[in-house]
Structure formats: structure tokens, C-alpha cells
Amino acid sequence: MPNERTILSTCEWRIPLSDLDYGAEEEEAALRVVRSKWLSAGPEVEAFEREFAALIGVRHAIAVANGTAALHLSYLAVGVGPGDEVIQPAINFVAAANMTVAVGATPVFAEILGLGEPTIAPAEVERSITPRTKAVVVMHYGGYPCRMVEIERICRERGVSLIEDACHGVGARYLDEDKGRLDGKMLGSLGDIGCFSFFSNKNLATGEGGMVVTDQDDVAHRVRLLRSHGMTTLTWDRHQGHASSYGVAANGYNYRLDDLHAALGRVQLRKLAKNNERRRGLVEEYWRHLALFPRWVLPFVGKSAAGSGHLMAVVAPGIEKRAQAAHALKEARIQTSLHYPCVADFEAFHRFGSGRLKHSRTFADRAITLPLFPTLRAEQVEEVCRLIREACA
Ligand SMILES: *Cc1c(COP(=O)(O)O)cnc(C)c1O
């Protein structure tokens, strides 16, 4: 249970890992919804979906309760079920794997490309495909695109669904040097379905919230049905007089977003481009300082133009050095984290086994995530880097 003590202690970070860009516009949006006396899914959700679909450049955006619900509905919409396998990166948040198990399927953990590019390796995807493979989930680590041209080709050739966990990548574009058909498209619109989260620490934050995006009408239809109990109309439709009753066409869930969160999301959407730009500038600043550290690996260095700047992760030369850096920053009341432990190594996934995950495990042992948020200042970046240098000298 959170009490006053724990609330105080979370405020004791001098530089937190992430921080919201929230102000008068968000307050006004929340007030507008409160005063409208329509709190559940209604006009704000509809507007948020329209605006989000326009941003990503897709036919359909379906707002949901959180990013995990987005993944769950995506699996169900492409028909992942008992006996199926879902290939996914071993370095990821646990949601994609948990939802795989939730639909009765087996997660198959694939290796990342390497310490400098901790996204799923296309060759490992290809190697992991079996007759039971139903879907591949990619995760654009830190908002930097996976190798989508190769992965998309593999999935298309093998008739496997491609789902993007784009929770880190909102507002980022895919840049393809060969100028193929994916060039310039937004992350989340590169496969069959894209999943987003609006959790408090994401680039577009509403507290809880998520979105499913797709160009496929049948997929969108199934996601909409399953989002709200399988019911054929929403309370909002009936309130507006568009319908007076409902049918139940599938066995669904209650994964709806509500108007309060959607109103916040619409404000955050307007701030996204500017805030992602600031994040990219700060990442460049980190890279400038950290490039001077021998044997430290800077994932995606030089690729800031192609990312959302969601995370600032760096890989220490060893487990010891990572511990020294984390300790020194904690002493200075600077928050750090790890994105992520190797999912296959969590107790809850031991029964599924794992293949060669050498890079993934090394990454999990040596990576550290440093503070990054739009209002972080360049002096603070410099201080973080100086403390790491001193601690590891
Ligand atoms: C945040 C996140 C999720 C889960 O989103 P929730 O909204 O917290 O359910 C899933 N995958 C990744 C990569 C994330 O960062």
C-alpha cells in the first residue's frame, strides 16, 4: 500500500528517471471532461482515436485501457491461441510474453542483434519459425526501429502475423536507406498491428492508457468488439440515440479507455513532436559525453534522427562497472533503471526454455538506463556523465 512515506521517498530523487511535461493545458482538459459529466468512453475517446490515427497514418486507431491490453487484443485479433508460438525479443518488457501465455500460446524468446542494437535479430526470427508460429512481436527498443525491412519480408513470406510493440516509439518514423515501401512510415504502422502505451513514463503519457493501430478493417473490427465485452454498440452510441440495444458477437473484455484519459492524451499528442525533438537533443548530449568512456557501448549511437528518444540506455564494460555507476548515481539521488532483464530468465518463463541468448543476457547484466525526459537540462546530463566517469575511473 502506498503511504505518505513511500510517496515522500519517490519525491526524493533530485533527478528522476522520467518526468511529465504536464501543465495548464492538461488541467484544462481534465476540467473540461469533469464539467461535461461524461466520464467513460465518449467524444474525447473518439477524437483521440481520430487524431492518433492521423499521426500514425493508419486507417484505424482503437483506444484501450493500457499497452498490455493492446497486446492482448492484438494477439486475439490475429487469432493467436492454444498451441501457437509467438516469437519475441528476450529483451523486452514482460507484457508481450505474459499476454502470449494469457491466450494459451508459447513465447519463443529470440536473441537481440547485439549490445549496440538491442532489438530482435532478423536471422533469429527466421531460425525460430516453426509450423506452429502464429505471430512475431517486435519491440522498438528505446524508440529506435527494429530491422523492419528484413523482418517484414520474413513474416510475409512465411505467412506469419507481424505485431509491433511500439510502446517506446510513439511519434518516431522508420527511415530506410534503400527507400523501400516502409521508408518514412511511422513506427506502429509497419506490420499488421501496432501497440502503444500511455503509461506515465512514456513519451505520450496519460497515466494509464493505450492504443491499437491497424490498416486492416477486419482486425480493427475484432479489436473494437473484444475491447468492450463483444458488444455491438457502446453506451455512448446508445446515449446519442444511435442505438437502443446491443448484441454480443464475441466473448470480450472491458479494455476501454475513458474520456478523462483521452482528453489528457489529446493535449500530450499536440506536445509530442516538440518533446521528442527535445529528447533527441538530450540523447545527443549524453552521447557526446559518454563517447569519451572507453569500452562503454552506446546503443544506436548516431541514430537519434530515427528515434523517439524514449530511453537513454548505455552498456557498461562489465557487471562491476554497472554497479559502481548505479551506486554513485543513487548516492547523488539520481534515479536509474534497467530496460530490461532477460524475460526468458524470469521464473514465470522457465518452463518455456530458451535458446542462445548470449547477447540478451550480457545486455541485461551490463545495461543501465539514465534519466531522460523533455524538461531535463543539459547541465544535468553533464552531471550524470561526470558522476559515472568518477565512479568508474
Ligand atoms: C509500457 C510498455 C508496455 C506495457 O504498457 P502498459 O500500458 O503499462 O500496460 C509494453 N511493452 C513495452 C515495451 C512497454 O514499454
Side-chain angles (χ1 to χ4, degrees), residues 65-71 92-96 139-140 165-168 195-199 201-202 207-210 310 339-340:
N66 53 62
T68 307
L71 287 160
N92 194 2
F93 183 59
V94 71
M139 196 275 281
H140 304 297
D165 180 337
C167 292
H168 293 186
C195 298
F196 292 91
S197 163
F198 308 130
F199 186 67
N201 60 11
K202 303 288 156 69
E208 298 284 357
H310 175 58
H339 294 83
Y340 292 96

Side-chain angles (χ1 to χ4, degrees), residues 86-158:
V86 178
I87 299 169
Q88 49 199 289
I91 293 297
N92 194 2
F93 183 59
V94 71
N98 271 340
M99 291 305 101
T100 304
V101 177
V103 299
T106 300
V108 175
F109 297 106
E111 176 69 299
I112 55 173
L113 279 158
L115 301 182
E117 194 171 351
T119 56
I120 194 165
E124 295 296 314
V125 171
E126 189 139 44
R127 213 176 52 82
S128 305
I129 289 181
T130 75
R132 294 175 6 152
T133 306
K134 188 77 184 180
V136 171
V137 181
V138 298
M139 196 275 281
H140 304 297
Y141 185 99
Y144 299 94
C146 298
R147 301 274 182 102
M148 291 305 285
V149 170
E150 289 155 273
I151 295 167
E152 199 261 355
R153 180 187 52 74
I154 294 164
C155 290
R156 193 155 25 87
E157 283 174 6
R158 308 294 290 266

